[in-house]
Every structure is written in C-alpha cells, then in structure tokens.
Amino acid sequence: MTAWRRCSIRTRLTVAASAVMALICAVGTLLALVSARGRDLEYQKAALVAWAMRVIERMVIEGPPDALPDGPGRAAQLFDPNRRLVAVSGNMAGRPPMANFGSGSATYQTRELCDLPDFPGQCRIVIDVPVHLANGTWRLYAAAPSPPWYGNPLLLALLVGGSVLLVAVTALGTYWAVSKTLEPVRAIGAKLDQITASDLGHRVPLPKYQDELEDLTRIANRTLDRAQAAVEQQLRFASDASHDLRSPLTAMRVRIEDALMCPEETDWPKTAAALLDSVERLQDLVTDLLQISRLDAGVGGRHEPVDLTALVASELDRRPRGVLVARDLAPQVTVDGDRIGLARLLINLLDNAERHADTTIAVVLRAEPGTAVLEVCDDGDGIPPEQRDSVFQRFVRLDASRQKDPGGTGLGLSIARQIAEKHGGTLTVEDSPCGARFVLRVPRRAPEPESALAGDEHGGREPAERSGDRGGERSPRSTG
C-alpha cells in the first residue's frame, strides 16, 4: 500500500485502466467461450441424433444389425425388447450398458453425463433412442465426446491474444493521455517553484484549452495576487510601524542624552513628564499593533448576546470627555458579538470624535429591520468625500489629525472597521451637515420573548437616554 501511494498519478491511472480493461476482456472471453461451447454442444447432439436415425433406418429396412458402425470417439449399444445386448460398436464389446435413462420413453432423450463407468474422467453426450419394431421396442444407446470447456482452441487463442492486445493498447493510451493532461500541471508546478517571498511577480501561464486546468491556473494566479498584496501590505505595515515606533524612541533618547550631558541644569520633573508622554504614546502604539495582529490572525472573543444599548451607555458613563456628549439610545438593541471587541470599537470612535470635535459629540443608536445602527458624529471640520475610505487605512492620518493630535497612531479607525467586519457589519463615513459622521451597521439579534428578557444574564435594560455631559481632562489615548 505504501509503494502504491508513492506511485505517480500517471502510473496509478495506467494500472487502474489496464486492470479494468483486463477484467472486461476476461468477462467477455468467458462469455464468448461459454456461448461457443453451447453451440458446439448443440451441434454434437444434432450429429449424434442424425447418426442414430441412420442406424434406425437401416434396422427398419434390413433388420437388427450384428454390429453398429464406429465413428470418431463414438460408442453405441443396441438392446432388444428383453434388455439383452444385441449389437455394439467395436469399442464397446463386453461392456455393461453405458447409461440408464429408464424405460417407457416413446421419444429419444439426450443428456451430457460425466464420469460414466465406461468413460471414467470424461464427459460424454449420451442419446437413448427407442426403436419400435414388430416384435417390440428396442433401445439404442450412443455416446460421443463432449466439447472441451474452452470450446475451439483456435477461438481461445484468438480471444486471449485479442485481450492481451486490448490491455496493452489501453495501458499505452492511458499513459500517453495522462502524460499530455499533466503537462500543464507540471508547467504550473515549475512556475510556482520559481516564486519566492521576495519575487512574487511571476504568474502561471494559461493553458490553450478552456477546461478544469484553466480554472486551476486562474485560481492559482488569483491566489498569487492575494499573496503579493498581503506581502506588500505587511511590508508597508512593518515599514510604517518601525517608523512610528522609532519616533517616540528617538525623542526619548534625545531627551535622556541632553539631560545626562548637563545633569545639574536639567529640570528632571519636566524631563520625566516628557518621557512619560513618549512612553504612553509608545504603549498605545504597541497595544494597537497587538490588536491589529490579533484581528489579522482571526483571533477574537466568544460571540454572545450583547445589549448594545447598555454597552454604549456604560462606555459613555465610564469616563468624562473634554466636550459635550449628546446621546440618543434606542432601548433593547441586542446583537450577537464580542463584548470587548465592540467596546474597543466604540472607544476608538469616541476618541476620534473627541479629537476632532469643536464643542459636541452626538451618539445615536437605533434599531432598523435586522440591523443595529450606531452613529458617532462630531462638529469638527469633517472629512472630504475623496478621503473617507483612506482614513480607515493603517497609519493613514490626515493633516487635520496630525495638527490636533501629533501623537496619534493612525490605527484606531482601521481597528474599528476590522472589528465591524468581524461581526458581519460595516463601518463607513457618511454625509453630515457639519463635522464627520461615522456609521456602524451590524446584524441585530431577533427580539426575545418577555419571559426570556426577564432572566437575561446582563440584567435589566436601560431605557432610551438623551443627555449631555461635560468631562474633565482629555484622554491621552490617540487613535487614527
């Protein structure tokens, strides 16, 4: 079995096709031999009956003979009405009756018998013919050799030779056909073998026939396109990440070197505060990078029913904001999702809105048929329509964002969109009278019966809220 598994597809298909053809030829040969022997057997029976009729005709005309004529392999016995042996062929002299078909039959009977006492180890065609004369009914027995099981030897040789020829032609044809079929596969393999991580520009040439191999080639090329795009994205990501990591590290190094050059003139509390700000920026960047890596790897929390109304209200009440926050939350909006991931998404949107808002942030949650819709709006400068998709790219920060928060990581909105997509939803920037309006849409969980709501594991539902709050100091956390 191990050796069979190591064989090539071409060899396995050739062996399988040859075996099937050999089986078909064997069955066909057997059926042909059985049919030919049946015809030979009927011919032998007819010839024996014709011989017996000639003997009976002479008996009727000339009377009972003293001896019966011989034939090739033929034996005969003649009994009178008293069951006495009257005449035999030369090879049956002094032998007992060759068979006993019983008495009283008015017509002749023909049978094929094997291992008769007079013919041990042989099969014979035996005929029992009643001869009606004036003095009673005589019995004529005659036997002739049965045809062999294989029928005619020449026919057997032709059938076996033809079968061997068919099997050989099938094996050669299968080997050639499979070889021609696998040539494009070998070409695909050779081309794929040339592709390395540093050279993904090669593509597999399309075969000249529009068949399954062409589909395979197109799929392989699309896979290479995706792999090249992923590698290029990773290279850009690594380049941007290294640049953003190097900036706070460089700033920290310069401040430390300056402080060590003139330690007695250094304001150490001020230096420590500046270093702490760089450390916090570095920590935020590492946290976002880890989150991006987890999302790219498909790692997420367990999905469960989440009361989005309660979650949004909790995040809004968790800490004060530097601007007015107006809320309009529909009650009992429930989704299936990762509570921690959804909270991270909301925090990123709120931090981004707070960074760009002039005076107010508006948070609206409503339920549409089959969808939960969350809007986070600010009254800032807004985002130009041509840049609404680019803000979700990693490390992309618009000029306004760099001016308002130079320490941002440029990853917050990208993380938020990935979390939305992980939940089967979308996160987009849509038109707004002023400022930017981020809209999250995720599938909504079907309403549960009131009895089920009473025992919900998250406790009671908060009613719709409309309120505003003014917070204290702004969060040092920055998102894209």
Side-chain angles (χ1 to χ4, degrees), residues 166-187:
L166 276 176
V167 172
V169 170
T170 300
L172 293 175
T174 303
Y175 191 87
W176 178 84
V178 175
S179 298
K180 296 297 289 183
T181 302
L182 292 180
E183 281 183 0
V185 177
R186 288 193 294 270

Side-chain angles (χ1 to χ4, degrees), residues 56 67 75 80 251 263 321 364 378 386 391:
I56 293 172
D80 63 10
R321 296 279 173 180
V364 179
D378 63 70
E386 66 274 8
V391 296

Side-chain angles (χ1 to χ4, degrees), residues 322-324 353-361 378-381 404 435:
V323 293
L324 177 69
E354 181 181 3
R355 190 160 46 247
H356 296 281
D358 290 336
T359 59
T360 307
I361 297 174
D378 63 70
D379 60 351
D381 297 332
K404 293 192 174 184

